[in-house]
């Protein structure tokens, strides 16, 4: 197995958001959002493609660390569909 960069990880107990800003995918805790930013409920008509893009970008980042993983473009749509089904089954909790 190829040696990848060493990453520091910490458990995050507070809610976080994923978003795209000027073409860059970012993740941050809700508490760290800029003043005036709003977190709104997911809207499938408006947000689905951005969510798929975000999941693909996250997968591609992880794939850079572990090349045996599939590309984001291959898994993102199926992953998002499965995630949304789980959210619906548990009413988003």
């Amino acid at each position: 197995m190829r040696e990848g960069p060493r990453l520091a990880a910490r458990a995050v107990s507070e809610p976080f958001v994923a978003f795209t800003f000027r073409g860059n995918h970012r993740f941050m805790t809700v508490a760290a959002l800029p003043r005036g930013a709003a977190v709104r409920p997911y809207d499938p008509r408006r947000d689905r493609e951005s969510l798929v893009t975000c999941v693909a970008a996250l997968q591609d980042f992880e794939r850079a660390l572990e090349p045996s993983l599939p590309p984001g473009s291959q898994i993102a749509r199926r992953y998002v569909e499965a995630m949304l089904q789980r959210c619906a089954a548990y009413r988003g909790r």
Side-chain angles (χ1 to χ4, degrees):
M1 180 160 58
R2 182 175 72 96
E3 182 75 22
R6 301 206 183 274
L7 300 175
R10 67 181 176 86
V12 178
S13 59
E14 50 194 301
F16 73 94
V17 293
F19 61 97
T20 303
F21 180 72
R22 295 184 181 162
N24 296 311
H25 305 291
R26 300 175 188 254
F27 302 88
M28 67 175 42
T29 63
V30 172
L33 286 172
R35 178 179 243 160
V39 177
R40 60 175 171 70
Y42 173 75
D43 177 353
R45 291 171 291 138
R46 180 175 168 182
D47 302 326
R48 186 179 193 94
E49 287 307 309
S50 292
L51 180 57
V52 168
T53 300
C54 186
V55 167
L58 179 59
Q59 176 73 7
D60 288 340
F61 175 82
E62 291 178 356
R63 187 170 188 242
L65 302 175
E66 180 50 63
S68 66
L69 294 173
S73 61
Q74 288 182 5
I75 64 98
R77 289 195 186 283
R78 288 188 318 245
Y79 182 88
V80 166
E81 184 60 35
M83 181 177 62
L84 293 174
Q85 287 175 1
R86 283 192 306 268
C87 286
Y90 294 99
R91 292 188 240 152
R93 296 175 195 233

